[in-house]
Every structure is written in structure tokens, then in C-alpha cells.
């Protein structure tokens, strides 16, 4: 009982070692490494905060002399830090405060130059402002050891901008330390302690009662895209239902699919897919109301302007949202608006805000998302830096938009896990649900490599406390999948499918069997979700269900025989 009460609380640093020894049997040694620090700042401050990890490896050595590289003729410079003896396959998490002079604001990019001129073009960014300090958080993993490396910071506008740095921190994590930190968060954020008390009709506790506990559903939404190819395909349907509790329609709700010709609405396929989803108690995301990329709009919409386009978009929202009111938990209202501006260019800068307001009025219970690519996958895309995304969300919120969620498409090449986590940390400051909405790995890799990278991304998402759901982008078609398939056409698992099955098994509570102690109690630690409980004592039997939801306290449940 004391153990379970301890484990049900947020574990302080002082209790971390005990926690790991008791709850992480995969560790053959006691953990004495660092805890990951999720701290992030998005506001510009008059004074920089103290460095994370007390500077990390900078703490006990000279803070790595600031060097000037690429000096310009006007005396401006690029500040840089010299890093010595960096290891291969180590997760390096860094943070630093940035102050600029010479512009109101500019994007400052952190880059790394390692031995043999190996260059990592972007390992972190911040949209820095003049006159105050901005927080840059990033990370990197080296492909080979480097005895001397240069971490440098450059503005992107012009050479007249001076960049000043302060409170630098660099914290390395071995692969095992990183995995341990992930498991710590999974155990504290995705699980909860439960104590079952068994008594007779007089209230006397029953020692030795047999208890069987089975998880029948999971709280954490983990799903995949589906397409019309699932309709009428019973083996595919069964395969999907056995694994996933969430779905998103790949293309069937997009405007070009539901209204290919003006005024000729056709929701037949979407209706049939929704029927399958609802019949199997699967939650569904609505994707999408508007796509800002012109080429993915119906041809007739691309030819509209002014009042005619305004009327068409209003009809689109009303038709879609009234038909499917309260059927979809989310709607991606604006898809990829940081890369494209089809509607705002034609209808003015308030168009997106109008979309959100109208969608909220049509379905007040649905969560409304922005959805975008290259936010968490990389920082090389200047259109979708983490601060740019945050600024857009705040702009819409200030305008009165009902903004309920952050959609990160997550189409990865080779993942940079420390950078991914740093970006999630900054997005988490918005206090909004974060979903990885379209996870896959580029098909430029072989299937085995796809599976390796997929596991890295999924573990990173599931173990981040700000991530509320994960969707794969793996709808099966006769010609394959968008980038990555989980199975072949006979539904035989490919390496990525084996990875998903392994993680789904790992992230659920196996059947628990035991007996009540001398206090008539039985305790266990389970993943959040719904459970079926069977208790037997002599010839008496009781069956019940309960829900484990997120809480800092142990859940107590009483069963009377």
C-alpha cells in the first residue's frame, strides 16, 4: 500500500532512483543520470533566466569561449561556442538565451559544425526580438564522434544584426538515459495506481479473494488514417479494430472529395466510413475543412474570387459541420496555412479567423485544430518554425478564434529526437492539446530503417506529457500507402507494423491476476483506460468495471461479495 501510494504521486527527483528500481525492471543498474528538463519559455524577457541543468556540461568547465565566425565588414558577428569531445549517438540537449540588435525581430538559427566539416544546418531556432532576451531550445545527435565542434547562431535577415548570447546549457543523455527518462514519464503520465478493497455484506475485509483485472479500452488515442479501401474489406476492418481506437479519413472529407462540382454534394463514402468507425466505438478526427494549398482545392473553387468565393466557403462550413455535428472529436479547420495562403490571399487576412468562428458556432463541442507539417520534424523550414506556429495560434486566439488543439503532421525523415522534444516543450507552453496527426517515415528509407525511425518517433510522442494523441498516416491502398505501410496487401505485417504491434502491447496493461492481502486489498499500476474486474471468494463472484483516469492520487475501488 505504501508503495502504491508513492507511485501514484508525481515522483520528485529525490524519489526517482527508488522509482526506477521498483518500476523499471528492464534496468539492470540503478539510474544516476540527469532528469530531462521540460522547461521552455516563449515570452521575451528583460533578463535571461538561469541556464537549464545549471549549464549541464558547461557547469564544471569554462563556458566554452564565445567565438566570432563570419564577421562582417560593419563589425557584426556570429557568436559561437566551442564544444569538445562530443560522442556519437548521444542526445545533446541545449538551450541558450538570445538578444539581437539591428532589427525589430529576426529568426536566429543554431547550427553545428563538427569534425571533417560535417554540418548540421539547423539544430534549433528562435524568433528573437530586439531589446529583450528570447529562449532558444534545441538539440542534436552526431553521426560520428567529434573532438572539436562549433555551435553557432545566425540571424537570417541581414549582416547588420548583432546576436548576443547568455545562459548557455548543454546536457548530454546516453541512449539508455534517454530511454529511462521516457519510461519515467510514461509511468507517471500514462499510468495510475489502483487499490481494490474486497469485503463481505457486513463490511468485513476478505483476505485471499481471487482477482482478475483486464483492460478493455485505452484512454490514449492511438490510431491511423483510413480510406475508402476499408469499406467492404472485412479482414482489413478486423485488423484495424484489433489495434486502433482512433481514425482519420485520409481524403474522403476534403472539399475536392465531397463537392467536386459546385453544388453537387456527395457524402456517401464518408458516411459509410463513419458508420464503420461508430459501429466499432472508434473516435474520429475530421480532416479537413479547408486546405490552403491551391492544388488541393476543387478546380471550380480555384476560379472563384470575392463574394462568390466567400459564399462558397460559408456553404462548405455549414454543409459539412451541420451534417456531421458532434460526430468528429476534432476538425482541422485550416490545413497548412503557414505554407500556403489561398484563402487569405483572396478573402483577406481575416478569412481564417472567420473559418474558426463559423466552425465553432456550427459544432461547439468539436475541438478545432491548426494542422501543419515541418513544425516538429525539422527546423530548417523557415515557414514553420516553432515560434512562427505559436505566433499564429496566439494571433487567432486574440482575434476570438476557438483554438483547441495543435496538429503536428509528423512526416519524418531521420528524426532528431532532442530537437523534436525541445519543439514539443515550447509548444506545450500554450497549454493546448498536442496531437501527432499524420505520423510516417519517408519511403526514401528501406522498410527496416522506417521501422527503427518510427519507433523512435512514437516513443518520443507517447512519452511527452503534452502529447494527447497519435495518428499514423498509413491508409492501405492497392498501390501501397502514402509513404509507409504497416502491412502488405494480405495484411501480413511489415517491419513498421511489427513495431506498432510491439508498442501497442507494451502500452497496455496485461491481464492481472492475484489475491487480496490480509487487509482485503489488492493494488496494481495500470495504463489509463477502462477495466473489467472479476472477484471470486469461495462460491461467491462479483463482476464490475471501472475507469482509470489521470490523477495524482491512488484510485480506490470497493467490491462487496
Amino acid at each position: 500500500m505504501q508503495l502504491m501510494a508513492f507511485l501514484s504521486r508525481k515522483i520528485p527527483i529525490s524519489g526517482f532512483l527508488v522509482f526506477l528500481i521498483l518500476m523499471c525492471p528492464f534496468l539492470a543498474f540503478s539510474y544516476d543520470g540527469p532528469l530531462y528538463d521540460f522547461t521552455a519559455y516563449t515570452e521575451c524577457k528583460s533578463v535571461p533566466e538561469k541556464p537549464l541543468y545549471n549549464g549541464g556540461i558547461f557547469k564544471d568547465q569554462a563556458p566554452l569561449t564565445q567565438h566570432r565566425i563570419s564577421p562582417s565588414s560593419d563589425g557584426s558577428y556570429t557568436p559561437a561556442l566551442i564544444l569538445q569531445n562530443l560522442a556519437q549517438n548521444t542526445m545533446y540537449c541545449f538551450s541558450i538565451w538570445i538578444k539581437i540588435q539591428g532589427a525589430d525581430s529576426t529568426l536566429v538559427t543554431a547550427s553545428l559544425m563538427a569534425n571533417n566539416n560535417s554540418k548540421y544546418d539547423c539544430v534549433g531556432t528562435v524568433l528573437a526580438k530586439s531589446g529583450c532576451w528570447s529562449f532558444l531550445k534545441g538539440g542534436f545527435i552526431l553521426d560520428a564522434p567529434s573532438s572539436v565542434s562549433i555551435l553557432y547562431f545566425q540571424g537570417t535577415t541581414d549582416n547588420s544584426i548583432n546576436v548576443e548570447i547568455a545562459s548557455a546549457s548543454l546536457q548530454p543523455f546516453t541512449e539508455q538515459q534517454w530511454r529511462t527518462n521516457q519510461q519515467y514519464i510514461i509511468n507517471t503520465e500514462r499510468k495510475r495506481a489502483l487499490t481494490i478493497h474486497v469485503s463481505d455484506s457486513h463490511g468485513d475485509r476478505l483476505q485471499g479473494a481471487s482477482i482478475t483485472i483486464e483492460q478493455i479500452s485505452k484512454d490514449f488515442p492511438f490510431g491511423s488514417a483510413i480510406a475508402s479501401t476499408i469499406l467492404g474489406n472485412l479482414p482489413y476492418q478486423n485488423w484495424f479494430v484489433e489495434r486502433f481506437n482512433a481514425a482519420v479519413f485520409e481524403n474522403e472529407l476534403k472539399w475536392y472529395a465531397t463537392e467536386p462540382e459546385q453544388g453537387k454534394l456527395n457524402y456517401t463514402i464518408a458516411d459509410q466510413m463513419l458508420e464503420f468507425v461508430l459501429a466499432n466505438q472508434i473516435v474520429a478526427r475530421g480532416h479537413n475543412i479547408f486546405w490552403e494549398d491551391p492544388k488541393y482545392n476543387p478546380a471550380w473553387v480555384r476560379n472563384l474570387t470575392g463574394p462568390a468565393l466567400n459564399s462558397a466557403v460559408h456553404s462548405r462550413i455549414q454543409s459539412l459541420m451541420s451534417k456531421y455535428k458532434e460526430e468528429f472529436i476534432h476538425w482541422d479547420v485550416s490545413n497548412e496555412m503557414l505554407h500556403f495562403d489561398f484563402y487569405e490571399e483572396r478573402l483577406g487576412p481575416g478569412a481564417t479567423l472567420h473559418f474558426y468562428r463559423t466552425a465553432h458556432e456550427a459544432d461547439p463541442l468539436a475541438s478545432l485544430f491548426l494542422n501543419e507539417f515541418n513544425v516538429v520534424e525539422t527546423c530548417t523550414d523557415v515557414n514553420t518554425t516553432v515560434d512562427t506556429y505559436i505566433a499564429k495560434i496566439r494571433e487567432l486566439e486574440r482575434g476570438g478564434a476557438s483554438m483547441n488543439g495543435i496538429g503536428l503532421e509528423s512526416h519524418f525523415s531521420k528524426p532528431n529526437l532532442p530537437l523534436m522534444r525541445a519543439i514539443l516543450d515550447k509548444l506545450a507552453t500554450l497549454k493546448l492539446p498536442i496531437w501527432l496527426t499524420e505520423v510516417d517515415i519517408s519511403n526514401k528509407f528501406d522498410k527496416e530503417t522506417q521501422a527503427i525511425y518510427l519507433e523512435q518517433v512514437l516513443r518520443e510522442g507517447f512519452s511527452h506529457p503534452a502529447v494527447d494523441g497519435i495518428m499514423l498516416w498509413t491508409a492501405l491502398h492497392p498501390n501501397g500507402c502514402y509513404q509507409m505501410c504497416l502491412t502488405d496487401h494480405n495484411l501480413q505485417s511489415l517491419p513498421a507494423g511489427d513495431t506498432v504491434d510491439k508498442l501497442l502491447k507494451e502500452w497496455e496493461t496485461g491481464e492481472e491476476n492475484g489475491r487480496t492481502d490480509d487487509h482485503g486489498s489488492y493494488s496494481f499500476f495500470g495504463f489509463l483506460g477502462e477495466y473489467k474486474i472479476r472477484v471470486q471468494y469461495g462460491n461467491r463472484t462479483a463482476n464490475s468495471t471501472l475507469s482509470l483516469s489521470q490523477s495524482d492520487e491512488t484510485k480506490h475501488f470497493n467490491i462487496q461479495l
Side-chain angles (χ1 to χ4, degrees), residues 90 215 244 350 447 493 550:
T90 294
Q215 186 174 13
F244 301 123
K447 290 180 172 55
S493 285
Q550 196 168 46

Side-chain angles (χ1 to χ4, degrees), residues 66-79:
Q66 180 174 317
H67 283 249
R68 296 185 179 191
I69 62 174
S70 303
S72 65
S73 59
D74 63 5
S76 64
Y77 65 91
T78 297

Side-chain angles (χ1 to χ4, degrees), residues 392-433:
K392 177 56 68 175
I393 290 174
R394 286 177 170 163
E395 174 190 321
L396 290 169
E397 288 180 329
R398 285 194 302 269
S402 177
M403 180 64 59
N404 309 115
I406 299 169
L408 305 172
E409 291 187 16
S410 307
H411 296 294
F412 278 87
S413 290
K414 183 178 181 179
N416 177 351
L417 300 184
L419 176 64
M420 178 183 177
R421 186 177 290 190
I423 291 170
L424 288 172
D425 292 348
K426 292 197 77 170
L427 290 170
T429 63
L430 291 171
K431 307 297 183 184
L432 291 173

Side-chain angles (χ1 to χ4, degrees), residues 223-439:
S224 175
I226 56 174
S228 60
T229 52
I230 203 167
L231 298 176
N233 189 336
L234 187 58
Y236 185 18
Q237 292 178 5
N238 290 337
W239 177 90
F240 190 93
V241 173
E242 286 173 4
R243 288 162 175 78
F244 301 123
N245 60 1
V248 60
F249 300 176
E250 187 178 43
N251 299 312
E252 288 76 8
L253 282 171
K254 292 170 183 172
W255 200 353
Y256 64 74
T258 62
E259 195 177 3
E261 297 181 48
Q262 188 170 11
K264 296 183 178 179
L265 296 167
N266 188 346
Y267 293 108
T268 303
I269 299 299
D271 286 345
Q272 293 173 359
M273 293 171 68
L274 183 61
E275 183 179 348
F276 158 71
V277 166
L278 296 178
N280 290 283
Q281 299 179 310
I282 295 171
V283 299
R285 302 190 73 249
H287 177 77
N288 53 57
I289 302 178
F290 296 111
W291 197 340
E292 291 286 348
D293 189 342
K295 70 181 179 181
Y296 293 114
N297 280 280
W300 63 269
V301 171
R302 295 198 296 269
N303 293 326
L304 299 178
T305 58
L309 179 58
N310 193 57
S311 175
V313 298
H314 183 77
S315 296
R316 161 69 172 171
I317 296 175
Q318 295 299 328
S319 170
L320 190 68
M321 302 297 280
S322 61
K323 178 172 179 58
Y324 294 117
K325 184 176 182 179
E326 300 179 4
E327 299 287 10
F328 292 91
I329 60 169
H330 301 165
W331 281 101
D332 291 329
V333 178
S334 182
N335 199 52
E336 301 176 357
M337 72 169 300
L338 296 181
H339 284 97
F340 309 101
D341 61 351
F342 174 80
Y343 293 99
E344 297 221 340
E345 181 184 357
R346 288 158 179 77
L347 298 176
T352 304
L353 183 59
H354 173 70
F355 296 163
Y356 277 88
R357 287 173 171 170
T358 308
H360 178 65
E361 291 169 0
D363 190 354
L365 297 182
S367 294
L368 305 183
F369 276 59
L370 269 181
N371 195 48
E372 191 56 82
F373 66 93
N374 278 355
V375 179
V376 75
E377 299 97 318
T378 179
C379 65
T380 58
D381 190 336
V382 297
N383 294 304
T384 51
T385 68
V386 60
D387 292 302
T388 303
Y389 199 28
I390 289 171
K392 177 56 68 175
I393 290 174
R394 286 177 170 163
E395 174 190 321
L396 290 169
E397 288 180 329
R398 285 194 302 269
S402 177
M403 180 64 59
N404 309 115
I406 299 169
L408 305 172
E409 291 187 16
S410 307
H411 296 294
F412 278 87
S413 290
K414 183 178 181 179
N416 177 351
L417 300 184
L419 176 64
M420 178 183 177
R421 186 177 290 190
I423 291 170
L424 288 172
D425 292 348
K426 292 197 77 170
L427 290 170
T429 63
L430 291 171
K431 307 297 183 184
L432 291 173
I434 297 174
W435 280 55
L436 309 185
T437 57
E438 305 179 16
V439 179

Side-chain angles (χ1 to χ4, degrees), residues 383-551:
N383 294 304
T384 51
T385 68
V386 60
D387 292 302
T388 303
Y389 199 28
I390 289 171
K392 177 56 68 175
I393 290 174
R394 286 177 170 163
E395 174 190 321
L396 290 169
E397 288 180 329
R398 285 194 302 269
S402 177
M403 180 64 59
N404 309 115
I406 299 169
L408 305 172
E409 291 187 16
S410 307
H411 296 294
F412 278 87
S413 290
K414 183 178 181 179
N416 177 351
L417 300 184
L419 176 64
M420 178 183 177
R421 186 177 290 190
I423 291 170
L424 288 172
D425 292 348
K426 292 197 77 170
L427 290 170
T429 63
L430 291 171
K431 307 297 183 184
L432 291 173
I434 297 174
W435 280 55
L436 309 185
T437 57
E438 305 179 16
V439 179
D440 62 14
I441 305 298
S442 171
N443 60 14
K444 71 181 181 181
F445 302 109
D446 60 57
K447 290 180 172 55
E448 288 73 19
T449 303
Q450 280 185 318
I452 292 169
Y453 291 162
L454 177 64
E455 180 170 351
Q456 292 176 358
V457 170
L458 294 180
R459 286 193 183 280
E460 199 57 50
F462 190 68
S463 65
H464 197 287
V467 173
D468 283 5
I470 297 175
M471 304 294 293
L472 303 167
W473 204 249
T474 53
L476 189 60
H477 296 274
N479 60 343
C481 307
Y482 174 65
Q483 291 285 330
M484 180 189 74
C485 283
L486 301 182
T487 73
D488 63 17
H489 295 303
N490 296 318
L491 300 177
Q492 298 301 304
S493 285
L494 299 172
D498 288 334
T499 290
V500 169
D501 285 348
K502 177 183 71 172
L503 294 178
L504 288 172
K505 187 70 174 176
E506 182 180 324
W507 296 337
E508 69 181 10
T509 306
E511 183 177 292
E512 285 274 334
N513 294 283
R515 294 186 178 275
T516 55
D517 59 20
D518 54 0
H519 298 287
S521 301
Y522 179 79
S523 298
F524 83 108
F525 202 55
F527 282 96
L528 305 181
E530 300 291 323
Y531 286 82
K532 181 169 63 178
I533 299 174
R534 177 181 175 85
V535 179
Q536 187 170 2
Y537 187 80
N539 60 357
R540 288 173 284 176
T541 301
N543 294 291
S544 188
T545 59
L546 63 83
S547 175
L548 275 187
S549 55
Q550 196 168 46
S551 175

